[in-house]
């Protein structure tokens, strides 16, 4: 079994109380590594991050920051195969996805590295002729990043790359289910040339997360995870008025109109919900299909769901892996049972795979539901698709928007005007038209309503980690009335 300490100030450091926890591989349930789980380590990490921010990192030219980020990206690509394997072992996602995600990390460091030396304020119009007024964009300081288990390296990178470009330092807590790859990423930081203390990784569970959320030395928190956890984080952060970025869950609709390409729509719906065993925030878990094409699409989806190949995530032939934990499997099954009890029809799956057992839930398709059925309203975070039909565009919009979440939506139609009308009417952060689940460093990612606030990725994600400082300069030395503002 492998053992890891926290990564703080450029190296592995034993945690103050030497508290530890185990991490398992979902495929076998076997413990494969042990990591630190000590809330007291957060303070040590915050001090290291502050010292780096006030030291070498804070004074480094922005172009040099970008150069180090590019180098880190290269090192991650060099070691992508190993990183993809470890990620797959730790969260049970198929190697096809974790391998591709590991190879894709470099593009994020490259994009944000290119932005590092393009951050600037502006000279403002003079409020009066004797003034010079300008703004500077300054890094917020030490950022606390709390990451979920479903795409640990990618979701960490979505935080880390923009915050490094902005000139901040980080205290990162990966999920207790998948703690190791964040440490492996940080191990590569010294080789890339990063000063000690810029990237700090503190592993552990809820108590470590809570220590980050409530730490007064953290200037901004960026969190990806579930809504219930986000409320704990937001409450703790409120004590210090620490600002937040929250990327939360979803219940994203996939809307198929009669004129859609049936092959593309079927593939898009299947990929949207069964990729990553449905354990993605943007899972397209609610399908709404127009009546004229419904029979064809529903028949195809049910047939294909039955043939999806479950198995060892490390096998490249595997199409769907297990749920990440026993608790997650139990939750998925109990939500399916509840749907059945509420009168829904389980048209495919609905059970733990009879041959593989363990954490393998069969790809599940549920019909005979309404927007009031619990499983249509609540995030499952598993391979469960509900399908409903609709008659016209207005009904599709009403059904899709009738959700407390607003992360993403898919629209399948070849009518170009309708596709843009739908994009305009859907109350979500991201709309995919005739495609689904695309992400890129260039493109903002995030949601509305209970799906959170703030954005990962895109140029605007850098602004989440910048503060505007305004500077007034009086040029003439004119005397003014000390009792009047102006
Ligand atoms: P989670 O909320 O259980 O955990 C997220 C992180 O918070 C983990 O690191 C966890 O250890 C930590 N945590 C737990 N309790 C805490 C506390 N009291 N204080 C501070 N931190 C605490 O989420 P998860 O199960 O790891 O991930 C699944 C959820 O994440 C789903 O809801 C999913 O939709 C969401 N998600 C959102 C996005 C997005 O970008 N919008 C991406 C991926 C996942």
């Amino acid at each position: 079994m492998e053992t890891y300490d926290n990564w703080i100030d450029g190296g592995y450091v034993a945690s103050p109380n030497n508290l530890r926890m185990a991490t398992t591989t979902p495929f076998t349930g076997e413990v494969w590594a042990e990591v630190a789980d000590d809330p007291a380590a957060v303070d040590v990490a915050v001090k290291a991050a502050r010292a780096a921010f006030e030291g070498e990192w804070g004074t480094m030219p922005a172009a040099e920051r970008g150069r180090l980020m590019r180098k880190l990206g290269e090192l991650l690509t060099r070691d992508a195969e190993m990183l993809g394997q470890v990620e797959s072992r730790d969260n049970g996602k198929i190697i096809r996805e974790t391998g591709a995600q590991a190879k894709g990390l470099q593009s994020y460091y490259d994009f944000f590295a290119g932005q590092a030396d393009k951050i600037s304020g502006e000279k403002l119009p003079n409020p009066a002729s004797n003034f010079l007024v300008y703004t500077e964009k300054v890094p917020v300081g030490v950022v606390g990043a709390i990451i979920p288990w479903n795409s640990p390296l990618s979701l960490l990178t979505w935080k880390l790359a923009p915050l490094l470009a902005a000139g901040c330092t980080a205290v990162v807590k990966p999920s207790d289910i998948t703690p190791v790859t964040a440490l492996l990423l940080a191990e590569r930081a010294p080789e890339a040339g990063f000063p000690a203390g810029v990237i700090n990784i503190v592993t552990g569970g809820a108590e470590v997360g809570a220590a980050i959320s409530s730490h007064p030395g953290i200037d901004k928190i960026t969190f990806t995870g579930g809504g219930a956890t986000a409320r704990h984080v937001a409450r703790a952060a409120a004590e210090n008025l620490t600002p937040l970025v929250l990327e939360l869950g979803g219940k994203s609709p996939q809307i198929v109109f009669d004129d859609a390409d049936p092959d593309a729509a079927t593939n898009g719906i299947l990929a949207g919900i069964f990729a990553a065993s449905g354990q993605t925030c943007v899972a397209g878990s609610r399908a709404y299909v127009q009546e004229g094409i419904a029979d064809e699409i529903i028949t195809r989806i049910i047939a294909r769901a039955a043939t999806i190949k479950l198995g060892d995530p490390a096998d490249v032939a595997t199409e769907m892996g297990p749920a990440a934990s026993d608790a997650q499997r139990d939750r998925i099954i109990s939500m399916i049972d509840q749907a059945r009890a509420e009168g829904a029809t389980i048209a495919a799956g609905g059970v733990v795979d009879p041959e593989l057992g363990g954490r393998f839930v069969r790809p599940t398709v549920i019909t005979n539901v309404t927007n009031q059925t619990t499983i249509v309203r609540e995030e499952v975070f598993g391979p469960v698709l509900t399908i409903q039909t609709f008659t016209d565009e207005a009904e599709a919009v009403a059904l899709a928007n009738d959700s407390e979440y607003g992360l993403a939506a898919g629209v399948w139609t070849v009518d170009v005007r309708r596709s843009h009308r739908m994009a305009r009417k859907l109350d979500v952060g991201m709309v995919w038209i005739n495609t689904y689940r695309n992400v890129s460093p260039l493109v903002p990612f995030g949601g509305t309503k209970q799906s959170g606030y703030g954005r990962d990725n895109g140029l605007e994600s850098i602004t989440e980690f910048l503060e505007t400082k305004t500077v007034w300069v009086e040029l003439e030395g004119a005397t003014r009335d000390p009792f009047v503002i102006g």
Side-chain angles (χ1 to χ4, degrees):
M1 193 177 65
E2 299 180 25
T3 57
Y4 295 89
D5 285 320
N6 287 315
W7 182 274
I8 297 175
D9 211 14
Y12 282 111
V13 178
S15 60
N17 303 304
N18 202 27
L19 302 172
R20 308 191 69 75
M21 57 168 278
T23 182
T24 60
T25 175
F27 180 45
T28 60
E30 176 191 335
V31 172
W32 74 274
E34 203 184 71
V35 298
D37 181 14
D38 185 351
V42 169
D43 189 54
V44 183
V46 171
K47 288 192 171 103
R50 177 67 55 195
F53 180 69
E54 287 173 358
E56 195 183 343
W57 185 248
T59 53
M60 185 180 284
E64 176 67 2
R65 261 196 339 257
R67 206 182 60 72
L68 303 189
M69 291 172 63
R70 269 190 210 94
K71 181 70 187 161
L72 179 62
E74 281 168 23
L75 297 176
L76 295 173
T77 296
R78 182 194 70 188
D79 299 333
E81 201 175 321
M82 177 276 291
L83 291 167
Q85 283 162 1
V86 177
E87 192 119 302
S88 171
R89 184 187 310 155
D90 221 5
N91 70 1
K93 275 172 69 167
I94 57 173
I95 189 73
R96 271 154 70 166
E97 171 137 346
T98 59
Q101 284 184 328
K103 285 191 197 111
L105 298 174
Q106 186 176 359
S107 66
Y108 289 81
Y109 292 97
D110 281 349
F111 174 74
F112 287 104
Q115 302 306 320
D117 61 357
K118 290 158 194 77
I119 296 167
S120 62
E122 60 178 328
K123 187 216 159 275
L124 300 172
N126 296 336
S129 61
N130 58 328
F131 285 113
L132 167 69
V133 185
Y134 61 91
T135 60
E136 278 197 289
K137 294 288 179 187
V138 296
V140 294
V142 176
V143 177
I146 303 178
I147 313 293
W149 48 264
N150 57 327
S151 292
L153 276 175
S154 290
L155 297 176
L156 165 56
T157 290
W158 292 10
K159 315 284 192 196
L160 199 54
L163 77 85
L164 292 173
C168 295
T169 59
V171 175
V172 175
K173 192 197 90 60
S175 167
D176 37 318
I177 298 174
T178 53
V180 177
T181 48
L183 294 164
L184 301 181
L185 181 148
E187 269 184 25
R188 277 138 188 86
E191 191 181 346
F194 279 87
V198 176
I199 302 170
N200 304 280
I201 313 290
V202 182
T203 58
E207 285 181 36
V208 176
I212 290 178
S213 315
S214 61
H215 201 292
I218 289 180
D219 302 297
K220 179 120 189 185
I221 294 171
T222 176
F223 171 87
T224 299
T229 316
R231 282 172 177 74
H232 287 296
V233 172
R235 268 186 225 109
E239 275 306 306
N240 301 310
L241 299 178
T242 309
L244 296 165
V245 173
L246 298 178
E247 294 291 351
L248 311 179
K251 194 74 201 173
S252 299
Q254 287 258 43
I255 303 159
V256 186
F257 286 94
D258 283 346
D259 64 354
D261 171 346
D263 285 333
T266 305
N267 280 338
I269 291 174
L270 287 161
I273 185 65
F274 297 129
S277 311
Q279 301 172 134
T280 90
C281 52
V282 292
S285 50
R286 294 185 288 150
Y288 296 105
V289 189
Q290 198 165 13
E291 279 166 350
I293 201 174
D295 282 349
E296 181 182 359
I297 296 283
I298 295 171
T299 307
R300 284 183 185 216
I301 287 174
I302 292 170
R304 181 68 180 99
T307 63
I308 289 175
K309 188 172 164 9
L310 274 59
D312 184 348
D315 181 344
V316 286
T318 299
E319 293 176 322
M320 213 182 89
S325 65
D326 288 344
Q328 188 62 18
R329 174 208 51 212
D330 294 346
R331 187 167 173 275
I332 297 167
I333 294 294
S334 87
M335 288 184 79
I336 295 169
D337 289 344
Q338 187 180 347
R340 201 182 279 113
E342 288 179 31
T345 302
I346 313 303
V351 290
V352 170
D353 187 275
E355 280 166 35
L356 292 163
R359 297 171 180 174
F360 285 92
V361 179
R362 288 291 322 160
T364 300
V365 180
I366 301 184
T367 55
N368 276 328
V369 288
T370 71
N371 262 21
Q372 271 54 59
T373 313
T374 309
I375 207 155
V376 179
R377 305 206 71 78
E378 292 183 4
E379 185 183 41
V380 179
F381 220 60
V384 181
L385 174 72
T386 60
I387 310 185
Q388 292 168 245
T389 58
F390 65 90
T391 51
D392 59 16
E393 190 176 313
E395 188 188 8
V397 171
L399 287 167
N401 282 345
D402 175 25
S403 169
E404 65 180 30
Y405 293 107
L407 191 55
V411 178
W412 300 87
T413 176
V414 293
D415 179 338
V416 72
R417 295 163 82 189
R418 174 159 60 199
S419 67
H420 290 290
R421 269 198 313 272
M422 290 296 290
R424 185 176 283 184
K425 288 177 186 165
L426 290 167
D427 186 2
V428 295
M430 301 174 281
V431 180
W432 285 293
I433 295 169
N434 296 324
T435 181
Y436 201 77
R437 205 167 165 247
N438 311 81
V439 293
S440 158
L442 288 64
V443 182
F445 184 103
T448 62
K449 302 194 270 187
Q450 296 295 305
S451 296
Y453 44 79
R455 290 292 179 267
D456 284 339
N457 296 335
L459 285 180
E460 67 190 86
S461 66
I462 303 176
T463 64
E464 304 282 1
F465 304 111
L466 293 169
E467 206 79 80
T468 299
K469 179 179 282 185
T470 52
V471 181
W472 290 71
V473 186
E474 218 283 8
L475 299 172
E476 302 291 346
T479 51
R480 46 187 286 257
D481 183 341
F483 302 106
V484 177
I485 191 167

